[in-house]
Amino acid sequence: MITRRAECSCGQLSAICSGEPIRIAVCHCLACKRHSGSAFSFNARFAEENVSIQGRAAEYTRIGDQGSRLTYSFCPDCGTTVHYRLDTRPGMVIIPAGAFADLSFPPPIVSVYHESRRYPWVEIRVEPLEVQG
């Protein structure tokens, strides 16, 4: 079984993930753009029992477009988000894919707000890709 380690910029907070992600997605919503500081977010969902969190974390909760609560856990030293949870997906831990710093990480299979909020210059060339919104 494959094991991957995601960690913050300073290495104090990490998530060890066993097995393959359940879902890998990019999201083009405005909140994800603000949170990532980029054109979209790139995240992987894992079953909670396959994730081990190590280190200290601070939390921030926001309300999503559909009313769900997203609770981000980030390093209190460097500020990097290492994992978060979505109240509508109990038993799941979501990891920003960039926290793995692994160029062989699998590509997304879902693009959320693809048609309505994606920057027109962003191309995601993965087949098949489920397009939402």
Side-chain angles (χ1 to χ4, degrees):
M1 180 182 303
I2 190 164
T3 301
R4 294 181 174 96
R5 179 184 177 92
E7 64 181 26
C8 66
S9 294
C10 71
Q12 184 279 130
L13 179 60
S14 64
I16 309 298
C17 303
S18 301
E20 293 299 331
I22 294 168
R23 173 181 148 153
I24 303 171
V26 294
C27 182
H28 305 276
C29 81
L30 301 178
C32 281
K33 289 176 185 180
R34 284 188 184 105
H35 188 262
S36 70
S38 188
F40 53 86
S41 65
F42 176 33
N43 305 291
R45 286 185 192 171
F46 290 87
E48 187 172 40
E49 63 266 14
N50 294 337
V51 180
S52 172
I53 307 296
Q54 300 171 347
R56 294 174 293 108
E59 291 185 345
Y60 166 74
T61 300
R62 75 169 177 88
I63 305 301
D65 288 350
Q66 308 296 320
S68 59
R69 298 177 65 83
L70 293 88
T71 301
Y72 296 95
S73 295
F74 59 94
C75 175
D77 298 331
C78 70
T80 306
T81 297
V82 174
H83 61 94
Y84 66 98
R85 297 175 191 269
L86 185 59
D87 70 346
T88 57
R89 299 286 183 235
M92 297 286 153
V93 177
I94 305 165
I95 311 286
F100 292 106
D102 177 2
L103 294 179
S104 67
F105 197 82
I109 59 171
V110 176
S111 182
V112 181
Y113 291 111
H114 188 87
E115 298 299 330
S116 62
R117 297 188 184 166
R118 178 181 49 91
Y119 285 112
W121 49 264
V122 169
E123 283 186 49
I124 300 176
R125 298 184 301 175
V126 176
E127 295 297 330
L129 179 68
E130 180 184 330
V131 175
Q132 298 178 354

